[in-house]
Amino acid sequence: PTALLVLGIQQIHVGQEMIGKISAAGQLMQCSASLDVLFLLDGSYSIGKGSFERSKHFAGKLCDALDIHPDRVRVGMIQFSSTPHLEFPLDSYLTKQEVKERIKRTVFRGGSTETGQALKYILHKGFPGGRNSSVPEVLIIISDGKSQGSTAMPAMQVKERHITVFAVGIKFPRWEELQVLASEPPERHLLFAGDAEDAANGLYSTLSDPVCTATTPGCKVESHPCERRTLETVKELAGNYVCWKGSKQPNAVQASLCPFIRWKRVLIKHPSRCFRTVCPDPCDSQPCQNGGTCVPEGLDRYHCLCLLGYGGDIHCAAKLSLECGVDLLFLMDSSAGVTLEGFLRFKAFLKRFLQAVVGQDSPMSVGVAQYDDDVKVPIELGHHKDTLSLMKSIDALNFSGGRTLTGRALQYIAQHGFRSTPVFADVQDDLPCVVVLLTDSKSQDSVAEAAKYAKDQNLFLIGIGSSFMRAELTTVTGNPQQTIVYSDPQDLFNRMPELQRKICSVGNPEGCQAQSLDLAFAVDASSGVGLENFLRLRHFVRSSCLHFIINRDVTQIALVTYGSRAHTVFALDTHTSSSAVLQAINQVPFLGDSASAGSALLHVYSDVMTVQKGARPGVNKVVVLLTNGGGMQDAAAPAQQLRHNGILLFVVVTGDTERDTLLRVAGSPNYLVHISSYEDLQYYQGLIIERICEEARSPVNLCKPNPCMNQGVCILGPGSYRCECHGWEGPHCETRVLRGDSPRSPALPPRAHVQWSPRGLHHFSRALQHSKR
């Protein structure tokens, strides 16, 4: 039954973090010593050709853990079934690559399982091509343990010759029979081929002392509880049924009860201990700062998943910066309606935001006011010259808990909040004045008149609150674009980059400079366009980029050119400044072959608009296809694929092309711009950028495109998402989980885009992903 196939045949009962450490150590271990290793592969019919191929794969993986060299580890192989067959002696191949290639070429023979006879062959012939007895000998038997005859006596004789025997289970092994074959203690010499990296770790852990050389400093062998399982077929009496039997009397038949037997497959559990080498985790020292999450990559590397607002370096240093000059006053609700918990949350948000944006050379001045019935300004504008003293003052703010008089507070701040000395004595203090209102309680007085008065004093108002405050905050700011609402407490902290953009958009409302956007241009560089027109397209892309603030927090731009094949000129996360993007565009070469817009869009989908290539979850994504209309026949399916994953596609066509084909690719006339000549392209730039900016302001589905790697499924939550991983772990399914051999269910693993993909596109995507691994 399929249900049995998903059950692990060996499971180490430890947490995911420890499994990751065992796996990482297993991939990096290598036994370097004078050692003769002989593989004894079960090639009988009970194994079958499929499991035999897995045995070969496992043997190749173990070779990675062995330092194969004429003077160090030598490897040979015998395949056994009805009779043993020497595949190659130990002195045939003397490099790791040669041995692995020869193992791959080994052909399945089939026959009965005569394990005892194979052991007698070794007792009689020794290790073929091996060195003298001063070199330790290791026999690695890979079998399901279902031998036709007794193995106890020859196994004992092999071990008496001081040969170390590892018994490795494959398929659904009979562990009790393999235990007879293995050296003492059996828990150190029993392994499972289905999890090759774990088994390599187990082999190394047993041989490390005294055979192999010392491990990396700090690594040690640890014992863990583990459970091995055997799949057995047993018969059980299901009941009796009426049957007819003859009698001694001629022509007489009488009724009787006959037993009814049925066969049942059951898993028998064998609790044991597993010994594995575990090494220090590079994340043990907690290198990620400011709340970042450390994700190990092997034994010596890691990367940090940083909170929003951080990621200025690999250790999550602050990266937001207010490069704009403003006088910034935070007005915090301290009334009973916001509660002590809400007040403390606003304090924490304020601290984290200012730590992330206020640098030593910041041209802005910061103040903080709080209100209930009354208004206090405990931190006046420009009073603090360094971040540390500013943080101490914020810590000292206390909750007061009176009525929520937001209108009165705005009126007071408009009159008294910005009467401070200039930040720099030699600079006239004519910076824009920005008030950020933090409230989670409906006002008990009118806010409309006070907000109008504040704006008449040239104050720029930004409102932050939870979603039920949206209407009142919009009344205060007068503009939904200056209102920030969050869905849950954690989501408030996710709004830091948005607040930074809104503060710096003061007096600069043009276009979508302050909106987050991942933008990719796909430019037709085929012979149908021609060199002269391609240069015009290139100039169009270059001048379009001047309309965006290019950095990690606002707009990221990627460029793809295509003929018959697509090429990524630069990815979304390649360049972090306008100058770098413009310089890269100037160097884009003309390709000049036939055009395939479909392959270009598929390339953008699978190799540009992905988390791995710098695409940001929760940020709008737009692709602009610039083409003369050639090679559009295969573009409709990948265009639909982009739209289904929340990526907007604009098709800009120059010249004569059948409109129906273009509409199928664009999906709607709203996203199709048809231009009569390349000379006229410049006149449409404002329209195209305006349409892109409209989309940049639209709501975002955090799960489109899928931020989860390795076929993880994205599950939306309120203002957030999580990744449901299959065989992987981590926030984005970036770390492989290694368990016991779990033969895979025939059911297809969940994939976000399978049902939307035509068959060719789906196979192309799978092949592309496979080639990356």
Side-chain angles (χ1 to χ4, degrees):
T2 310
L4 290 174
L5 297 180
V6 300
L7 293 167
I9 304 304
Q10 174 180 282
Q11 289 184 336
I12 300 181
H13 296 296
V14 291
Q16 293 297 333
E17 185 181 349
M18 183 58 73
I19 286 174
K21 286 189 173 187
I22 291 170
S23 164
Q27 292 175 57
L28 298 177
M29 297 290 142
Q30 190 164 81
C31 183
S32 184
S34 291
L35 192 64
D36 283 350
V37 177
L38 181 63
F39 286 106
L40 189 59
L41 256 65
D42 186 341
S44 64
Y45 289 131
S46 70
I47 284 284
K49 192 169 183 183
S51 291
F52 183 75
E53 290 300 315
R54 281 197 289 276
S55 297
K56 284 163 53 181
H57 172 75
F58 171 74
K61 278 282 187 184
L62 279 197
C63 288
D64 289 333
L66 302 172
D67 184 14
I68 298 174
H69 184 274
D71 299 327
R72 293 187 288 278
V73 182
R74 294 188 184 183
V75 175
M77 179 179 282
I78 293 172
Q79 181 183 171
F80 73 94
S81 50
S82 307
T83 57
H85 174 82
L86 177 62
E87 295 291 348
F88 59 93
L90 285 100
D91 54 2
S92 295
Y93 304 103
L94 302 177
T95 69
K96 187 175 296 191
Q97 197 55 41
E98 287 176 346
V99 171
K100 290 177 71 172
E101 286 296 325
R102 177 60 182 84
I103 290 172
K104 278 184 186 175
R105 296 199 306 270
T106 304
V107 179
F108 176 66
R109 295 179 176 274
S112 58
T113 315
E114 299 291 347
T115 314
Q117 199 168 322
L119 294 174
K120 288 174 184 173
Y121 176 89
I122 291 167
L123 286 167
H124 178 62
K125 301 272 190 178
F127 273 37
R131 289 163 281 187
N132 59 43
S133 57
S134 64
V135 175
E137 295 177 323
V138 175
L139 178 64
I140 302 175
I141 305 170
I142 307 175
S143 171
D144 60 3
K146 297 169 185 174
S147 179
Q148 312 301 139
S150 171
T151 59
M153 185 58 72
M156 185 180 72
Q157 291 171 332
V158 166
K159 287 178 273 190
E160 283 174 351
R161 292 199 183 180
H162 303 292
I163 297 170
T164 303
V165 182
F166 288 90
V168 182
I170 189 73
K171 206 173 179 182
F172 293 106
R174 247 184 220 147
W175 291 106
E176 60 274 24
E177 291 192 27
L178 291 175
Q179 190 164 322
V180 172
L181 300 174
S183 290
E184 293 291 332
E187 58 268 19
R188 279 183 170 267
H189 294 84
L190 275 177
L191 302 170
F192 182 56
D195 193 339
E197 280 160 1
D198 172 76
N201 186 314
L203 177 83
Y204 183 90
S205 299
T206 303
L207 293 178
S208 59
D209 187 23
V211 179
C212 303
T213 52
T215 60
T216 311
C219 297
K220 59 183 183 295
V221 178
E222 293 181 355
S223 164
H224 307 285
C226 67
E227 183 177 86
R228 300 185 176 98
R229 299 173 179 179
T230 303
L231 188 64
E232 292 286 2
T233 305
V234 297
K235 65 179 181 178
E236 63 177 14
L237 179 65
N240 296 298
Y241 66 98
V242 177
C243 56
W244 301 95
K245 291 185 176 180
S247 70
K248 293 179 180 177
Q249 300 172 5
N251 302 323
V253 177
Q254 63 184 26
S256 180
L257 287 176
C258 296
F260 174 59
I261 303 294
R262 68 178 172 200
W263 296 92
K264 183 180 176 183
R265 302 178 86 192
V266 295
L267 280 168
I268 298 170
K269 299 176 181 178
H270 304 271
S272 184
R273 305 289 301 176
C274 288
F275 291 83
R276 298 292 182 267
T277 297
V278 178
C279 298
D281 193 312
C283 290
D284 288 346
S285 61
Q286 299 180 330
C288 304
Q289 304 161 7
N290 298 310
T293 303
C294 183
V295 179
E297 298 173 354
L299 289 181
D300 54 355
R301 292 192 301 160
Y302 62 89
H303 68 271
C304 295
L305 297 173
C306 303
L307 294 172
L308 279 166
Y310 298 91
D313 65 9
I314 59 168
H315 295 123
C316 300
K319 73 168 182 178
L320 292 176
S321 64
L322 288 179
E323 294 171 356
C324 53
V326 294
D327 283 343
L328 180 62
L329 183 70
F330 287 90
L331 180 58
M332 288 175 60
D333 186 345
S334 180
S335 67
V338 81
T339 72
L340 174 61
E341 182 186 358
F343 178 76
L344 293 175
R345 185 184 309 132
F346 283 147
K347 268 180 65 173
F349 171 78
L350 192 54
K351 281 185 66 177
R352 190 188 291 182
F353 179 76
L354 292 174
Q355 280 175 320
V357 301
V358 178
Q360 294 298 322
D361 305 321
S362 178
M364 70 166 185
S365 60
V366 177
V368 180
Q370 64 182 92
Y371 73 93
D372 49 2
D373 298 87
D374 298 314
V375 186
K376 302 174 197 164
V377 187
I379 304 173
E380 293 190 357
L381 274 166
H383 183 70
H384 293 285
K385 298 294 187 289
D386 64 272
T387 311
L388 185 62
S389 65
L390 179 60
M391 293 304 117
K392 284 182 178 177
S393 295
I394 294 172
D395 281 333
L397 298 178
N398 292 316
F399 179 63
S400 45
R403 291 181 298 159
T404 311
L405 301 183
T406 308
R408 182 177 173 180
L410 287 168
Q411 183 96 16
Y412 180 91
I413 290 301
Q415 293 171 340
H416 308 288
F418 290 87
R419 291 185 177 177
S420 60
T421 55
V423 183
F424 305 109
D426 58 341
V427 177
Q428 185 184 357
D429 195 3
D430 57 354
L431 296 175
C433 298
V434 180
V435 177
V436 179
L437 172 65
L438 295 154
T439 178
D440 250 348
S441 176
K442 293 283 180 73
S443 179
Q444 292 170 263
D445 64 351
S446 172
V447 295
E449 286 299 317
K452 183 177 183 305
Y453 176 78
K455 281 177 271 194
D456 288 344
Q457 307 306 308
N458 291 321
L459 299 190
F460 185 81
L461 302 179
I462 297 171
I464 301 178
S466 49
S467 47
F468 77 93
M469 291 293 297
R470 186 189 298 272
E472 184 171 303
L473 291 172
T474 303
T475 302
V476 170
T477 63
N479 182 354
Q481 295 301 316
Q482 297 311 126
T483 300
I484 297 173
V485 295
Y486 57 90
S487 54
D488 58 63
Q490 180 52 46
D491 188 41
L492 170 62
F493 294 91
N494 296 340
R495 303 293 173 171
M496 285 168 48
E498 188 179 351
L499 176 58
Q500 180 245 5
R501 291 193 299 272
K502 290 189 189 310
I503 293 169
C504 280
S505 68
V506 177
N508 182 27
E510 180 191 354
C512 51
Q513 291 199 358
Q515 296 295 134
S516 281
L517 181 68
D518 284 344
L519 174 62
F521 290 95
V523 181
D524 188 342
S526 67
S527 55
V529 170
L531 175 58
E532 185 180 353
N533 291 329
F534 170 74
L535 294 176
R536 288 195 176 100
L537 290 177
R538 195 172 78 177
H539 177 74
F540 174 85
V541 173
R542 190 180 190 282
S543 59
S544 297
C545 291
L546 294 171
H547 290 262
F548 300 94
I549 294 174
I550 298 171
N551 63 40
R552 292 272 188 265
D553 300 317
V554 189
T555 302
Q556 294 189 143
I557 293 181
L559 177 59
V560 170
T561 57
Y562 72 93
S564 57
R565 296 180 62 184
H567 306 270
T568 300
V569 179
F570 51 84
L572 287 166
D573 59 355
T574 303
H575 299 301
T576 56
S577 68
S578 294
S579 58
V581 167
L582 299 178
Q583 189 175 353
I585 292 170
N586 285 339
Q587 297 168 2
V588 177
F590 177 62
L591 300 177
D593 52 356
S594 59
S596 171
S599 67
L601 294 180
L602 188 58
H603 178 81
V604 170
Y605 171 78
S606 60
D607 208 48
V608 176
M609 289 293 187
T610 65
V611 173
Q612 300 94 311
K613 295 299 171 89
R616 297 165 293 176
V619 172
N620 277 300
K621 291 169 176 51
V622 176
V623 177
V624 179
L625 177 68
L626 296 164
T627 174
N628 73 339
M632 299 289 279
Q633 299 78 12
D634 61 346
Q640 177 60 31
Q641 186 82 351
L642 286 165
R643 283 191 289 276
H644 171 63
N645 279 272
I647 302 167
L648 190 79
L649 173 65
F650 282 99
V651 181
V652 181
V653 182
T654 309
D656 296 324
T657 308
E658 186 181 342
R659 187 169 172 82
D660 287 347
T661 304
L662 297 175
L663 278 173
R664 279 199 300 275
V665 178
S668 160
N670 295 333
Y671 303 116
L672 177 62
V673 180
H674 209 150
I675 302 171
S676 57
S677 70
Y678 287 92
E679 290 81 1
D680 292 343
L681 191 61
Q682 58 183 318
Y683 304 122
Y684 287 81
Q685 187 173 62
L687 168 70
I688 292 165
I689 288 172
E690 185 179 332
R691 292 288 290 112
I692 291 171
C693 292
E694 283 175 22
E695 293 301 325
R697 290 189 284 269
S698 64
V700 180
N701 182 336
L702 292 174
C703 283
K704 290 190 174 183
N706 186 4
C708 308
M709 299 157 66
N710 300 306
Q711 302 177 15
V713 179
C714 182
I715 310 292
L716 267 179
S720 63
Y721 64 88
R722 64 182 176 83
C723 291
E724 194 172 272
C725 308
H726 302 274
W728 300 75
E729 65 178 350
H732 295 101
C733 306
E734 67 275 356
T735 307
R736 184 185 290 276
V737 176
L738 291 162
R739 306 172 186 269
D741 187 7
S742 304
R744 295 185 65 175
S745 162
L748 194 66
R751 294 175 65 95
H753 60 268
V754 169
Q755 59 184 341
W756 292 88
S757 306
R759 183 173 299 176
L761 181 63
H762 172 55
H763 287 309
F764 186 92
S765 300
R766 290 192 67 175
L768 195 65
Q769 290 171 2
H770 180 72
S771 71
K772 289 181 191 171
R773 286 178 193 156

